[in-house]
Amino acid sequence: MAGGAASGGSTQGDTYKEARNWLLLPAWVTLSILVLLPVLLMLVYSFLTKEFRGGVIWEFSLGAYDQFFFDRGLFGDEPPKLEWTYITIFWRSIWQAGLATILSLLIGFPTAYYIATRSEKVRPLWVFLITIPYWVNLLIRTVSMRFMLREEGPINNALVWSGLADSPIQMINTNFAVQIGLFYSYLPFMVLPIYAAVERYNFSLSEAASDLYASKWTTLRRIVLPSVRPGVVAGCILVFVPSMGAFLAPDLLGGAKNFMIGSLIEEQFKGNAGNWPFGAAASMILLSLVLIILTLYARQQARANKAGA
Amino acid sequence: MKSLLTSTAIAATLALGAGTAQAEGNLSIYHWFEYMPQTLLDKFTAETGIIVTMDTYDSNEAMLASLKAGGMGTYDVAVPGDYMVSIMIGEGLLDTVADGELKNKGNIAPEWADPSFDPGWSHSIPYQWGSTSFMVDTAAFDGNIDTTDILFNPPAELSGRINMLDSQGEVLAMAALHLGIPQCSQDREQLKALDAMLQEAKGHWASFNSDTAKEVLVSGDVAVGQIYDGFGAKARADRASLKYAFPTQGYVAWMDNVVLLEDAPNRDSAIAFMDFLLEPENIAAVSNYARYGSGLAGVGPFLDPELASLPESNPPASAGPGVFIEVCDEATQAVYDRIWTNLKK
Amino acid sequence: MAARKFDVRAYPGFAYITALCLLILYVPLMVVSVYSFNSSESIVVWEGFSTRWYADVFVGSESAKFKVAARNSFFIAVIAATVATTIATFAATAMIRGGKFRLRALSFGLISLPLMVPEIVTAVATLIFFSSIGFERGILTILLAHIAFCIPFAYLPISARMQGIEDTYEQAAMDLYATKRQAFTKILLPLMMPGIISGFLLAFIISLDDFIITNFVKGAGVETLPTAIFGAVKQGIKPNIMAISTMLLAFSIVMVTISYFVSKSGENK
């Protein structure tokens, strides 16, 4: 079973060995042409020269990466310094996505644990309850959140009415709103893998710990958490990665003022900037970051599997 | 499985075929949001049998970017502002309307007969004109609003409650008026001052948003918002305490124009549509809906009488000049682009 | 066991956090659903129960736009999900029933590529691709993009199901002189149906909901429901948008409920 999940599931017989290549051909063709090739083309575009006011000139240039990493002053003729603008945007995205992930973990772990310890009969119903909101269009969920956080929205009305706040609190168009939006968008992604891990966890280990007079919280920290760690890591990745590239939450909840990577990239193609090579370069940098995170995760999984076996 | 595939393929062919079969009677418009009344499009369809589809954008620059990102050849007409018309001519994105193709061209008002951005109207026709300034909620602030300080150096009670348009042209032109420098300045000290001033001002702003410019003012989410005059008139109808400002430093004036795009898939429909909009009765319907002025003669009888007395389109004597946005050369534009990026980082 | 005074599994507070979690997930959706029945023009003030905004969606001034968008969305989702499910079923058969082979890991990498690449990056890459080969953007470009990124979503439930079916059934059939094709269509496919249906529904919903990629590759005047909603929402949340949202919410719940019972009936077999 080791590595099964990472390689598309374990094999179960070889009945269709001869037809294998034909069966795989449609997937190979579709995905190579419509996903792999475009990503490679994007890599090429990131090394092209930008055309004034949108589009590209087919000439090799490092301009896009230079713009990303080096600041040559307002007039472009000063000696290059490290450019903080885009690094800040990336850092902000990582920071926002990280906070959203931590928030999801704080709420998601106890929830997943609680669900996984219900009786076997009602568990699927709980999972069902957690997944339904995920099936609602992300756009609609973000809009609902925007409605909730408005200055004259339900949350502020409730706060003022109950006397917890004297006047409405500014929530919309803040970093806080973006974090809440991301957290709300991807919370089910945190709950489900942790749930799956806790469900497989052997509770006799907890009992043994308890017999040895370990306190409840010590048991949780020293016994349960290490055992379900793969689920926690998977949940964190599933929340963190899409949060980093998010576009709707910063736009609709953050007031489009504090850019995140997704908005930065979007603006290069659909907005004011119109700088294709730069948009392609920023996309490549984002993709590299995500692939690094996924590789580290795969390594960690492989090591955990080895240790487990 | 095979029959499933076959039926899918048939369904796809039918659906795609259906789209191209009636292409002769189609018109694809790329237009600003909330500007063209649907009833007028319905009237056009009723008169000509041409089916209209419309996509919207929220800034001149976004429209240009999208057209250059593969949008050319899919739209027939677009509605760029004055300076963007000259940019698009320079980029070769516009088709030429030959003399005599538009039979209603004579309806253009004499004062707009020969605009500098498209001499002789050879690629475009006048659509609507107006101004861009800002509105203040007088319930939140009762001081003097006719100054650009409200946007760039606001009093404490307005700080953090300002929405700016997400439009490079309009924000930077207003900033240039505030500092009293030319729009395409090449003077390094002036540009540095502009950059520094905007960085300072950004701390007072809540958001950059064009499409919600009206909504955020009406809902009270912000107390100050950059806005177009007609859009502002609509906002005031929903929240009476909003007042449109005419700063003594000046404000942005603009004229939107219907242009014929190069490679228009339905060129004949586009010409018919332009002619349609050159009829005073039709363009008056746009003015009545969007609350801007038109560039045609003889629209008077069709206009909503209220339009003539709108506070948003009647600047007081104290108002500064209305200035059009200028087109900078590539090197200068690069500096302004950097200032804009610095602002939005 | 009996000597233990407390349940080692239970942690105090976890039940409250679970309740909080459900509250956070559901309250915004419920508030929007409730406000969709508000009779007021304003989204702020409650003025009494009314279904006028539902009527507005179907006969109001913007109804034509939303009807076309809904038709496009369903058309694209049905075809994209059908094609993606077909491709994924073949691929899963090769991966699970094809023995071990050299390109297996690489094939799986390719199949799961759309899951690993952030959606905004896929969107940009697809836009660049279509624009550089001069492929005119329209409904077809949306369809192609959707087919590609729906494949892994269809693949996961299908391959999970296939792993749970031992190949002895097909072996037995072939021992009785059934051809491989017959073993596939008469034995494996029927057994696979719950997985295939879940895969189809998953792909269908993913396509129906997609905003980012669609927004980048759509052509002139072609709107799907999410892009039409986004266009409307940008100018402010209006009650008719809440009505559409509520209907989509109801639709999603029906779909996921069907999927839930289908997979359940599969387990009982």
Side-chain angles (χ1 to χ4, degrees), chain B residues 17 20 23 26 37 40 125 182 196 222 248 290 299 304 313 330:
Chain B
T20 47
N26 282 344
L40 189 66
I125 60 161
V222 297
T248 50
V299 286
D304 184 347
S313 41
E330 185 167 354

Side-chain angles (χ1 to χ4, degrees), chain B residues 8-335:
Chain B
T8 310
I10 291 172
T13 330
L14 280 179
L16 297 169
T20 47
Q22 18 167 274
E24 281 166 358
N26 282 344
L27 175 69
S28 179
I29 305 175
Y30 200 27
H31 199 310
W32 291 87
F33 64 96
E34 205 171 329
Y35 199 161
M36 170 78 85
Q38 184 62 40
T39 47
L40 189 66
L41 294 179
D42 293 345
K43 184 184 172 200
F44 176 69
T45 304
E47 278 181 17
T48 60
I50 294 170
I51 295 161
V52 180
T53 53
M54 182 163 77
D55 259 4
T56 58
Y57 53 85
D58 64 1
S59 79
N60 279 308
E61 288 77 12
M63 174 210 55
L64 180 68
S66 174
L67 282 179
K68 293 198 76 173
M72 290 304 293
T74 60
Y75 299 103
D76 300 302
V77 294
V79 189
D82 42 86
Y83 72 101
M84 191 50 71
V85 174
S86 23
I87 289 176
M88 290 172 81
I89 294 173
E91 295 274 310
L93 298 178
L94 303 187
D95 196 359
T96 305
V97 184
D99 275 338
E101 265 194 289
L102 292 169
K103 59 181 193 303
N104 294 330
K105 205 168 173 178
N107 290 340
I108 296 175
E111 65 265 34
W112 293 108
D114 197 22
S116 60
F117 51 80
D118 182 15
W121 297 106
S122 51
H123 308 278
S124 61
I125 60 161
Y127 184 59
Q128 299 272 286
W129 58 267
S131 68
T132 311
S133 179
F134 55 90
M135 283 190 121
V136 181
D137 190 343
T138 52
F141 177 73
D142 54 7
N144 172 32
I145 65 164
D146 288 330
T147 164
T148 49
D149 277 337
I150 296 282
L151 291 179
F152 299 106
N153 186 20
E157 59 262 53
L158 294 177
S159 176
R161 306 191 60 199
I162 301 172
N163 176 58
M164 299 298 285
L165 291 175
D166 192 2
S167 163
Q168 185 172 348
E170 256 120 359
V171 172
L172 295 186
M174 209 69 181
L177 286 172
H178 178 66
L179 291 182
I181 60 174
Q183 282 184 45
C184 289
S185 172
Q186 294 176 344
D187 181 299
R188 290 190 162 222
E189 293 312 312
Q190 290 181 348
L191 287 165
K192 275 185 195 157
L194 179 70
D195 187 47
M197 187 276 287
L198 286 168
Q199 285 301 319
E200 173 80 28
K202 187 194 177 186
H204 301 294
W205 298 343
S207 53
F208 282 102
N209 227 316
S210 297
D211 343 57
T212 55
K214 185 181 97 184
E215 189 231 348
V216 290
L217 282 166
V218 170
S219 68
D221 284 353
V222 297
V224 178
Q226 237 194 330
I227 199 163
Y228 319 104
D229 59 336
F231 213 29
K234 286 181 168 185
R236 182 172 47 84
D238 291 340
R239 193 177 181 113
S241 57
L242 292 173
K243 190 162 184 280
Y244 191 74
F246 283 100
T248 50
Q249 293 90 338
Y251 54 92
V252 175
W254 49 260
M255 178 170 223
D256 284 339
N257 313 278
V258 181
V259 296
L260 180 62
L261 291 170
E262 186 75 37
D263 299 330
N266 314 288
R267 194 176 186 279
D268 293 344
S269 302
I271 294 289
F273 185 65
M274 291 167 94
D275 243 342
F276 177 80
L277 288 177
L278 282 172
E279 282 173 32
E281 186 182 352
N282 297 332
I283 201 70
V286 180
S287 289
N288 289 338
Y289 174 80
R291 324 229 45 72
Y292 300 114
S294 82
L296 300 192
V299 286
F302 304 105
L303 286 181
D304 184 347
E306 197 202 336
L307 279 184
S309 58
L310 282 181
E312 287 79 11
S313 41
N314 289 288
S318 64
V323 299
F324 283 85
I325 293 174
E326 289 167 26
V327 182
C328 315
D329 62 59
E330 185 167 354
T332 314
Q333 188 61 42
V335 180

Side-chain angles (χ1 to χ4, degrees), chain A residues 53 74 77 152 257 276, chain B residues 61 68-69 188 205 219 338:
Chain A
R53 305 188 203 285
L74 208 50
D77 54 3
E152 295 168 29
K257 192 175 69 160
W276 285 37
Chain B
E61 288 77 12
K68 293 198 76 173
R188 290 190 162 222
W205 298 343
S219 68
R338 235 169 262 139

